[in-house]
């Protein structure tokens, strides 16, 4: 597809010309007087300090230290160097005859000296005018974790993260509430400066810090993809003169932490007898099988190994690592195996004025999924305990006389589901320091993700009836149960797909950093060009195999054309897409005496994905802060060490969930027709064109206070925000008389999120042998849909999330409605039992009935959105022992326990198992499982999420600087009133808070680990 945006041509030629020009400038620059001396600036712990100012006292000669803390400056013997850096006490050093200096600065306020990674640069927390949370490597969650989202759970106020027990499913990450109804709305990741980086390419052991950009003043510099926040991930780099080899590893075991309280064989027989019936005939095989245990491993094992090496010389640094991770899922056949290699090289020349950086990482994952996982979970939950797993001859027992009743163990052992996922990510950075405080960067990045997927279903599946074999999908808008029996073909079937996504980015920008007396100016002016290709590849299927041991590796062994009704699955014709994006951006940071600070930015984005009339979007932001602590009236007080007030406003965009061709008129194949003596292929429209389709826009107002009191013993921040999303991307179904194909993408409606975030850090005890530090994060958010209007009407009152339990086809449990939050529950209202023991429900008029009307006798029954999210981390140190304890909780949200509802269907208790909690309902009560507020539960919980005890040995072996041994427990206990397996139910997407008959079991994990540094 062509994209008519004009100013992208000649970029590489222009960049090369600029670089050559600046090289010429340096070669002809005036020489500074004196002798050139070099050095390194570090803190009290030996860590180098980037961005420190080294100035020759009484002159204009000054430089800043590099990312590795080094500097080079002209100075003569007897002159005095003044070294300053925010968060450290200034130091003066007299120049002697030495050529190299090692300078150590004493810490001032540690919270102020913290370096924060922002878009296209870094800043100190002292000079920030925006809302940014930083999590250092030592504060990340520990455990058998391969996902960055889980590492951050409970660590950042406003970041709502829910994780499944499934090793192959990433955590759902929502920042400051759901911002759209179109897509999950997860944050945009920037990894070592690579925009849109895939977090699967990052090993947790390689992470140095994670900076979460939350308000629009911080995120607007990324414009088109920043509406849901930006997460900056920084990995390890080498340091000059510091060679290091390190190994970290652990081994762990996992056990199921909680199970469904289903009836065993004796309990179910007793229930049937008490209700005047029995489990008869083939339904009672005389066994007592725990079917949930039958599809689970008794113990799942995990291991992780990370080997890294780093170092550097006078003109360069390097850092490399190799990570191996393997984790078994607690469900049979599920597992994740991943290998990640990473290499980072910095090379300096021209007295460290010119820097080249190469950063390459490659992640190779092998994911085995439990075949038909959601169906297997449902079948295991409802299968009668009297049904044996196998017959006497070893074959699998099936009772197909019961509709929709299949052996889940047989399904797992007669199918395969595998995905091999590869992420190659690399960048090449050229950074040139120029006169007058200027710096020029050219950043080239490349990312390719490829997914090779295969499924195989043996001939065993041919015994299952095609009619009646439904899927069991996750909840969502427009998602319902559909028949998938045709997937199994005849004599075995297989599907194979191989798709890749390629993202190429060129970013070039100038940075001007200048101190003019009491005024400091930092400005960034840049340009970005992105070429994204998604869905490049193919898919095919086959059936009618000669044997069941072929799997999906050899599709050609099948003979599908021998079956006239079979159609090869070639995938969607709309999978492939190419999107071009061009952006200009500018940011200005100004401060006066580090007392009054101003930040402003604007980004102009163009995208080929949108309508011809609206391809460009503008995303401005402004932020200001006042460091009250610097005012004269604060000088004589002793309570506050720092006090800063922040205020910001900005606009960001969202294009997530939109494809390359959603704004265009699309046709698809639609059978054949007879023309001129032959059958000719017919085509018909499925989507109308919308030349006015444009970005979603999210505007955010933020008011914040940062403080530190009692000589740094207590510090923190409080933020209040108001976030409005408008012009949401939404697909409308309209009359084909108005729009060809009856479907069109348009901009519709708006959502508002208001909230408060609090982060507190304290050091109550800090002694010689014992110390205690603690951190509390808390966030409160109120989500509300404020409009669902569009040029094609209103989507107001859209019912969705349909579990389709027994006897409830068409019943829904959630509603999109103006004035209510995303995930609003809209169900029947339970009124108890009548005199005959049958379930009663309220009608809309307040009367009661045993047969309420779908969609009519519905009530607003609660929200899935949590009111408060809390995290509390504690670190205790005694001599060489350390203990970390982390608790987190969610409060005020509701969970719809559709699993409990469906497993309470007593009318079918002679054919499907039920929960013990349903034993008080009669078997004649055919409506007891109706989706009403009876099954809407309190989702609040407090969890001891992590406890780690470690001991560090110093220099126990020659050439080994330290060894640390530790034990870790995850998901140690949970306090909750929720009756399901676990209250941590997915909070992402359009249908949060639904336990949907396919909940992957949560586990309790114990690890034994070691860290070794040479």
């Amino acid at each position: 597809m062509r994209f008519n945006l004009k100013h992208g041509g000649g970029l590489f030629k222009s960049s090369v010309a600029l670089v050559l020009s600046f090289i010429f400038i340096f070669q002809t620059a005036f020489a500074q007087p004196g002798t050139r001396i070099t050095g390194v600036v570090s803190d009290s712990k030996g860590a180098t300090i980037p961005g420190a100012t080294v100035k020759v006292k009484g002159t204009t000669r000054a430089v800043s230290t590099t990312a590795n803390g080094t500097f080079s400056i002209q100075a003569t013997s007897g002159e005095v160097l003044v070294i300053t850096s925010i968060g450290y006490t200034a130091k003066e050093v007299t120049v002697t005859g030495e050529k190299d200096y090692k300078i150590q600065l004493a810490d001032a306020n540690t919270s102020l000296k913290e370096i924060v990674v922002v878009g296209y640069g870094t800043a100190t927390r002292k000079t920030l005018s925006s809302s940014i949370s930083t999590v250092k490597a030592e504060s990340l969650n520990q455990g058998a974790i391969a996902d960055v989202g889980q590492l951050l759970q409970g660590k950042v106020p406003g970041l709502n993260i829910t994780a499944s027990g499934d090793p192959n499913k990433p955590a759902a990450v929502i920042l400051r509430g759901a911002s759209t109804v179109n897509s999950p709305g997860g944050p945009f990741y920037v990894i070592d400066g690579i925009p849109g980086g895939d977090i699967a390419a990052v090993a947790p052991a390689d992470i140095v810090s994670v900076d979460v950009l939350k308000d629009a003043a911080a995120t607007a510099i990324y414009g088109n993809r920043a509406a849901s926040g930006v997460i900056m991930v920084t990995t390890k780099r080498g340091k000059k003169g510091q060679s290091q080899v390190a190994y970290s590893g652990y081994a762990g075991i996992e056990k199921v932490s909680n199970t469904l309280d289903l009836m065993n064989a004796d309990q179910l027989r007793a229930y049937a007898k008490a209700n005047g019936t029995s489990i008869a005939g083939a339904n009672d095989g005389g066994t007592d099988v725990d079917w949930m245990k039958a599809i689970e491993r008794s113990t799942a094992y995990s291991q992780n190994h990370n080997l890294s090496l780093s170092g550097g010389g006078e003109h360069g640094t390097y850092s490399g690592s190799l990570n191996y991770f393997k984790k078994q899922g607690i469900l049979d056949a599920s597992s994740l195996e991943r290998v990640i290699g990473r290499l980072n090289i910095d090379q300096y020349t021209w007295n460290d004025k010119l820097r080249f950086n190469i950063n390459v990482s490659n992640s190779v994952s092998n994911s085995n999924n439990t075949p038909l996982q959601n169906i297997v979970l449902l079948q295991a939950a409802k299968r009668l305990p009297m049904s044996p797993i196998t017959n006497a001859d070893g074959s699998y027992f099936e009772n197909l006389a019961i509709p929709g009743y299949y052996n889940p163990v047989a399904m797992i052992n007669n199918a395969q589901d595998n995905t091999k996922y590869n992420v190659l990510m690399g960048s090449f950075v050229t950074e040139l320091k120029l006169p007058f405080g200027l710096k020029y960067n050219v950043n080239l990045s490349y990312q390719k993700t490829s997914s090779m997927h295969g499924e195989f279903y043996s001939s065993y599946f041919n015994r299952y009836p095609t009619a009646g074999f439904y899927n069991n999908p996750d909840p969502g808008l427009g998602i319902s149960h559909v028949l998938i029996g045709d997937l199994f073909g005849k004599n075995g079937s297989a599907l194979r797909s191989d798709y890749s996504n390629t993202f190429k980015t060129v970013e070039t920008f100038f940075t001007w950093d200048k101190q003019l007396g009491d005024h400091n100016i930092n400005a960034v002016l840049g340009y970005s060009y992105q070429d994204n290709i998604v869905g490049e590849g193919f898919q095919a299927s086959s059936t009618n195999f000669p044997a069941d041991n072929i799997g999906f590796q050899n599709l050609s062994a099948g003979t599908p054309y021998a079956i006239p009704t079979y159609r090869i699955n070639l995938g969607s014709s709309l999978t492939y897409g190419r999107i071009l994006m061009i952006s200009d951006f500018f940011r200005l940071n100004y401060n006066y005496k580090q007392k009054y600070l101003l930040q402003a930015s604007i980004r102009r984005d163009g995208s080929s994905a949108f309508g011809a009339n609206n391809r460009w979007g503008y995303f401005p932001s402004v932020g200001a802060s006042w460091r009250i602590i610097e005012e004269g009236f604060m000088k004589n007080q002793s309570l506050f060490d720092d006090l800063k007030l922040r205020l910001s406003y900005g606009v960001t965009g969202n294009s997530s969930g939109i494809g390359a061709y959603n704004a265009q008129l699309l046709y698809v194949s639609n059978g054949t027709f007879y023309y001129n003596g032959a059958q000719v292929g017919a085509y018909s429209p499925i989507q109308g064109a919308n030349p006015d389709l444009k970005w979603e826009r999210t505007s955010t107002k933020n008011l914040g206070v940062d403080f530190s009191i009692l000589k740094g013993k207590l510090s923190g921040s409080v933020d209040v925000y108001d976030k409005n999303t408008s012009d949401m991307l939404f697909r409308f179904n309209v009359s084909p008389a108005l729009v060809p194909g009856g479907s069109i993408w348009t901009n519709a409606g708006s959502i508002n999120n208001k909230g408060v975030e609090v982060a507190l850090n304290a050091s109550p005890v800090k002694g010689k042998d014992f110390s205690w530090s603690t951190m509390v994060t808390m966030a409160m958010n109120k989500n509300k849909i404020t409009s669902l209007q569009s040029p094609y009407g209103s989507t107001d009152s859209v019912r969705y999330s349909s579990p389709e339990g027994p006897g409830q086809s068409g019943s829904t449990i959630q509603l999109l409605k103006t004035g209510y939050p995303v995930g609003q529950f809209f169900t029947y209202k339970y009124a108890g039992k009548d005199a005959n023991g049958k379930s009663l429900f309220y009608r809309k008029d307040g009367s009661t009935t045993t047969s309420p009307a779908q969609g009519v006798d519905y009530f607003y029954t609660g929200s899935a959105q949590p009111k408060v999210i809390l995290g509390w981390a504690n670190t205790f140190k005694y001599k060489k022992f350390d203990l970390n304890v982390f608790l987190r909780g969610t409060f005020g949200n509701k969970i719809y326990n559709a699993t409990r509802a469906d497993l309470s269907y007593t009318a079918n208790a002679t054919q499907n198992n039920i929960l013990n909690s349903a034993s008080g309902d009669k078997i004649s009560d055919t409506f007891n499982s109706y989706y009403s507020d009876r099954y809407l539960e309190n989702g609040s919980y407090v969890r001891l999420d992590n406890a780690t005890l470690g001991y560090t040995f110093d220099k126990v072996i020659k050439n080994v600087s330290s060894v640390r041994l530790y034990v870790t427990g995850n998901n140690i206990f949970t306090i909750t009133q929720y009756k399901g397996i676990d209250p941590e139910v997915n909070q992402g997407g359009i249908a949060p808070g639904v336990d949907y008959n396919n909940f992957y079991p949560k586990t309790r994990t114990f690890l034994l680990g070691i860290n070794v540094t040479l």
Side-chain angles (χ1 to χ4, degrees):
M1 175 183 178
R2 296 188 180 275
F3 182 23
N4 191 22
L5 296 178
K6 297 295 186 182
H7 67 280
L11 174 62
F12 284 99
K13 293 181 180 179
S14 300
S15 300
V16 172
L18 280 169
V19 171
L20 293 175
S21 298
F22 293 138
I23 291 172
F24 177 76
I25 290 172
F26 272 108
Q27 289 178 330
T28 57
F30 292 108
Q32 297 290 336
T35 304
R36 180 163 294 279
I37 61 173
T38 60
V40 61
V41 180
S42 61
D43 63 15
S44 59
K45 296 180 180 179
T48 56
I49 302 174
T53 299
V54 181
K55 183 178 181 180
V56 180
K57 191 173 184 178
T59 73
T60 58
R61 280 172 278 150
V63 297
S64 295
T65 57
T66 67
N68 300 295
T70 60
F71 68 90
S72 176
I73 194 170
Q74 297 285 349
T76 58
S77 181
E79 289 186 315
V80 177
L81 301 181
V82 180
I83 302 94
T84 58
S85 182
I86 295 173
Y88 298 91
T89 303
K91 187 172 186 177
E92 294 187 359
V93 176
T94 301
V95 178
T96 62
E98 297 180 11
K99 301 294 184 182
D100 191 64
Y101 294 79
K102 292 184 178 180
I103 302 168
Q104 190 175 84
L105 299 184
D107 291 358
N109 189 318
T110 55
S111 65
L112 298 183
K113 73 181 179 66
E114 183 179 288
I115 299 296
V116 178
V117 179
V118 297
Y120 308 103
T122 60
T124 60
R125 188 157 297 280
K126 182 177 181 179
T127 59
L128 285 178
S129 296
S130 51
S131 180
I132 299 177
S133 294
T134 300
V135 183
K136 298 297 184 181
E138 59 270 20
S139 298
L140 294 171
N141 291 323
Q142 298 189 44
I145 298 171
D147 178 71
V148 171
Q150 285 182 261
L151 295 174
L152 296 173
Q153 274 188 306
K155 301 296 184 178
V156 177
L159 203 62
N160 186 7
I161 300 174
T162 48
S164 165
D166 188 345
N168 297 310
K169 187 174 183 179
V173 182
I174 300 295
L175 180 64
R176 290 186 166 182
S179 298
T180 179
V181 299
N182 173 53
S183 62
F188 179 65
Y189 288 90
V190 180
I191 302 173
D192 290 327
I194 300 176
D198 192 322
I199 57 174
V202 180
D206 285 338
I207 294 176
V208 173
S209 66
V210 179
D211 295 280
V212 182
L213 283 55
K214 297 190 288 187
D215 68 347
T219 61
I221 196 69
Y222 284 107
N224 54 27
R225 290 172 289 179
S228 298
V230 177
I231 295 181
M232 316 284 290
V233 179
T234 303
T235 61
K236 293 178 180 178
R237 307 180 85 121
K239 297 179 180 179
K240 289 186 177 181
Q242 296 184 22
S243 296
Q244 188 178 83
V245 178
Y247 166 81
S248 62
Y250 61 75
I253 60 172
E254 297 185 38
K255 297 277 189 179
V256 170
S257 59
N258 195 19
T259 59
L260 294 169
D261 185 20
L262 292 159
M263 290 187 176
N264 61 29
D266 289 340
Q267 290 169 331
L268 192 56
R269 290 189 189 99
Y271 174 80
K273 183 178 179 180
N275 280 269
T277 186
S278 63
I279 314 294
N283 295 347
D284 192 343
T287 60
D288 190 3
V289 177
D290 186 330
W291 280 97
M292 293 302 296
K293 286 186 177 180
I295 64 168
E296 296 169 351
R297 296 182 170 105
S298 60
T299 303
Y301 298 94
S302 59
Q303 58 177 304
N304 183 78
H305 308 277
N306 195 89
L307 180 65
S308 64
L309 62 159
S310 63
E314 184 179 357
H315 299 295
T317 63
Y318 64 89
S319 175
S321 67
L322 184 64
N323 179 266
Y324 175 77
F325 175 82
K326 185 174 183 179
K327 182 177 182 178
Q328 289 181 326
I330 201 67
L331 284 187
D332 277 346
S334 64
S335 65
L336 171 63
E337 186 174 25
R338 177 176 290 167
V339 177
I340 302 176
R342 182 184 64 87
L343 178 64
N344 186 294
I345 298 174
D346 279 299
Q347 183 65 42
Y348 298 84
T349 186
W350 280 333
N351 295 320
D352 290 347
K353 295 288 192 300
L354 180 61
R355 178 176 71 94
F356 298 103
N357 171 262
I358 296 176
N359 194 348
V360 180
S361 65
N362 193 64
S363 170
V364 180
S365 302
N366 185 17
S367 300
N368 288 306
N369 302 295
T370 300
L372 302 172
Q373 179 173 292
N374 288 358
I375 301 173
V376 163
L377 285 166
L378 175 60
Q379 292 293 326
K382 73 176 187 177
R383 196 163 178 85
L384 291 171
M386 301 85 161
S387 293
I389 298 175
T390 58
N391 297 305
D393 61 1
S395 61
Y396 290 108
F397 171 82
E398 298 280 4
N399 183 5
L400 299 180
I402 303 176
Y405 191 75
Y406 318 118
N407 188 326
V409 175
M411 293 167 66
I412 293 174
N413 293 333
N414 282 281
Q416 302 171 31
D417 189 322
N418 175 267
T419 300
K420 292 178 173 63
Y421 187 68
N422 186 86
V423 182
L424 174 62
M425 190 164 61
S427 67
F428 181 75
V429 175
T430 301
E431 181 179 277
L432 187 59
K433 291 183 178 179
L434 305 170
F436 316 114
L438 284 170
K439 185 170 63 177
Y440 177 64
N441 282 73
V442 178
N443 298 353
L444 311 177
S445 65
Y446 175 87
Q447 179 176 278
K448 183 174 183 178
T449 63
S450 58
S451 175
M452 182 180 292
H453 177 71
E455 297 176 35
F456 178 75
Y457 304 94
S458 78
S459 58
Y460 184 90
F461 282 83
N462 293 146
R463 68 187 61 199
Y464 295 137
T466 301
F469 200 104
Y470 287 86
N471 66 349
N472 186 32
D474 293 333
L477 191 65
I479 294 176
S480 61
H481 291 59
V482 296
L483 290 169
I484 61 169
D486 289 337
L487 173 71
F488 306 135
K490 182 180 180 181
N491 297 327
S493 63
L495 180 144
R496 196 84 186 265
S497 65
D498 191 352
Y499 289 107
S500 65
N501 303 326
T502 305
F503 308 97
K504 303 173 193 174
T505 305
V506 178
E507 294 183 315
T508 177
F509 56 93
F510 283 97
T511 304
W512 185 42
D513 197 343
K514 191 68 175 177
Q515 183 78 37
L516 301 171
D518 293 330
H519 307 273
N520 181 268
I521 298 173
N522 179 279
V524 176
L525 175 64
Y527 169 89
S528 175
Y529 176 86
Q530 301 169 65
D531 185 350
N532 300 338
I533 295 176
V534 300
E536 185 171 29
F538 63 91
Q539 176 176 303
S541 63
S542 188
T543 190
N544 205 20
F545 290 95
D548 281 333
N549 60 357
I550 293 173
F552 55 78
Q553 285 80 8
N554 189 357
L555 296 185
S556 62
T559 53
Y561 296 112
I563 304 172
T565 58
Y566 187 81
R567 295 293 179 267
I568 293 176
N569 184 349
L570 298 176
S572 172
S573 59
L574 302 178
T575 301
Y576 175 87
R578 184 184 184 191
I579 298 177
L580 302 181
M581 288 187 284
I582 291 176
S583 307
D584 307 297
F585 53 89
F586 173 73
R587 181 180 62 219
L588 173 67
N589 286 287
Y590 165 79
N591 76 70
Y592 175 70
K593 290 186 177 181
Q594 295 189 352
K595 182 192 300 185
Y596 309 115
L597 303 100
L598 176 69
Q599 174 182 304
S601 71
I602 187 168
R603 182 168 178 129
R604 176 178 180 258
D605 282 328
S607 171
S608 63
F610 292 96
N613 298 335
N614 281 309
R615 283 187 168 162
W616 293 95
Y618 293 84
F619 306 101
S621 76
V622 62
S625 58
W626 174 27
R627 295 198 65 239
I628 304 172
I629 193 67
E630 295 293 335
E631 296 292 350
F633 60 80
M634 296 292 290
K635 297 301 182 183
N636 296 323
Q637 59 83 38
S638 58
L639 176 63
F640 286 94
D641 310 305
D642 186 49
L643 183 61
K644 180 170 67 174
L645 180 67
R646 293 179 280 105
L647 181 65
S648 68
Y649 172 81
V651 179
T652 52
N654 176 47
S655 59
S656 178
I658 196 80
Y661 311 119
N662 287 135
Q664 300 180 18
L665 177 64
L666 297 179
Y667 286 81
V668 294
S669 176
N670 191 8
T672 62
F673 68 97
Y674 188 77
Y675 175 74
N676 200 22
Q679 289 293 123
V680 179
Y683 295 86
S684 63
I686 60 165
Q687 174 185 287
N690 185 358
D692 296 319
L693 190 68
K694 59 184 178 182
W695 308 99
E696 286 185 3
R697 294 174 66 84
T698 299
S699 61
T700 305
K701 291 175 283 188
N702 195 98
L703 176 64
V705 176
D706 300 327
F707 64 90
S708 175
I709 63 175
L710 303 175
K711 296 182 179 181
K713 286 188 176 181
L714 177 63
S715 62
S717 64
V718 179
D719 283 85
V720 180
Y721 61 87
D722 186 350
K723 184 172 73 168
N724 288 282
T725 301
S726 59
D727 297 323
M728 290 187 296
L729 296 164
F730 203 85
R731 182 173 181 168
F732 270 80
N733 293 318
V734 296
S735 170
L738 297 175
V739 174
S743 173
I744 190 168
W745 280 87
T746 187
N747 298 97
S750 55
I751 288 179
N752 175 261
N753 286 275
K754 290 185 175 74
V756 178
E757 298 168 351
V758 179
L760 298 174
N761 294 277
S763 300
V765 180
K766 195 172 184 180
K768 179 181 178 182
D769 292 330
F770 177 76
S771 66
W772 169 37
S773 60
T774 184
M775 178 187 72
V776 175
T777 63
M778 182 177 68
M780 294 169 281
N781 183 78
K782 185 176 181 181
N783 174 270
K784 183 170 70 173
I785 299 171
T786 51
S787 172
L788 288 170
Q789 287 291 129
S790 83
Y792 298 92
S794 174
T795 58
D796 201 23
S797 298
V798 175
R799 295 192 294 120
Y800 66 103
S801 290
S802 178
E804 294 195 9
Q808 301 190 74
S809 295
S811 292
T812 56
I813 57 177
Q814 289 182 312
L815 180 77
L816 284 180
K817 177 76 173 177
T818 300
Y820 293 88
V822 173
Q824 171 66 45
F825 292 113
F826 190 60
T827 67
Y828 296 131
K829 197 169 183 180
Y830 183 64
K833 306 283 187 180
D834 67 7
N836 298 317
K838 291 190 175 182
S839 294
L840 286 171
F841 304 89
Y842 288 105
R843 287 195 179 101
K844 205 64 178 175
D845 62 7
S847 62
T848 59
T849 179
T850 57
S851 55
Q854 283 185 9
V856 176
D857 295 321
Y858 275 21
F859 293 83
Y860 299 101
T861 49
S863 170
Q865 301 288 342
K867 294 179 180 178
V868 178
I869 301 173
L870 185 70
W872 183 24
N874 294 273
T875 300
F876 305 91
K877 292 184 179 180
Y878 177 71
K879 294 185 178 180
K880 295 182 181 181
F881 285 96
D882 61 87
L883 173 64
N884 294 278
V885 179
F886 178 58
L887 295 96
R888 60 183 174 88
T890 298
F891 307 92
N893 60 304
K894 297 292 186 181
I895 297 175
Y896 199 87
N897 196 341
T899 301
R900 184 164 72 94
D902 290 350
L903 293 176
S904 297
Y905 187 51
T906 54
N908 216 23
T910 59
Q911 296 183 324
N912 290 281
N913 203 357
I914 59 174
L915 294 166
N916 274 304
S917 59
S919 60
D921 290 359
K922 293 184 177 181
I923 205 166
S924 58
D925 186 1
T926 57
F927 299 144
N928 74 316
S929 64
Y930 265 29
Y931 297 136
S932 68
D933 62 348
R934 181 184 185 185
Y935 301 104
L936 190 67
E937 301 182 27
N938 184 352
S940 302
Y941 69 91
V942 174
R943 169 172 288 155
L944 178 53
D945 201 48
N946 180 282
T948 298
L949 177 64
Y951 184 84
T952 301
F953 303 86
D954 292 333
K955 298 181 180 179
V956 292
I957 306 174
K958 186 178 180 180
N959 298 325
V960 177
S961 60
S962 69
V963 176
R964 179 175 179 265
L965 293 174
Y966 65 91
V967 290
T968 294
N970 292 108
N971 188 21
I972 297 172
F973 67 78
T974 303
I975 301 172
T976 184
Q977 296 178 353
Y978 182 62
K979 298 175 183 177
I981 293 178
D982 193 276
E984 192 175 325
V985 175
N986 193 334
Q987 287 288 329
I990 189 65
V994 181
D995 189 338
Y996 212 62
N997 280 317
N998 51 30
F999 193 90
Y1000 195 104
K1002 275 284 194 178
T1003 58
R1004 183 169 293 115
T1005 307
F1006 295 96
L1007 304 177
L1008 176 62
I1010 185 171
N1011 299 330
V1012 181
T1013 303
L1014 304 181

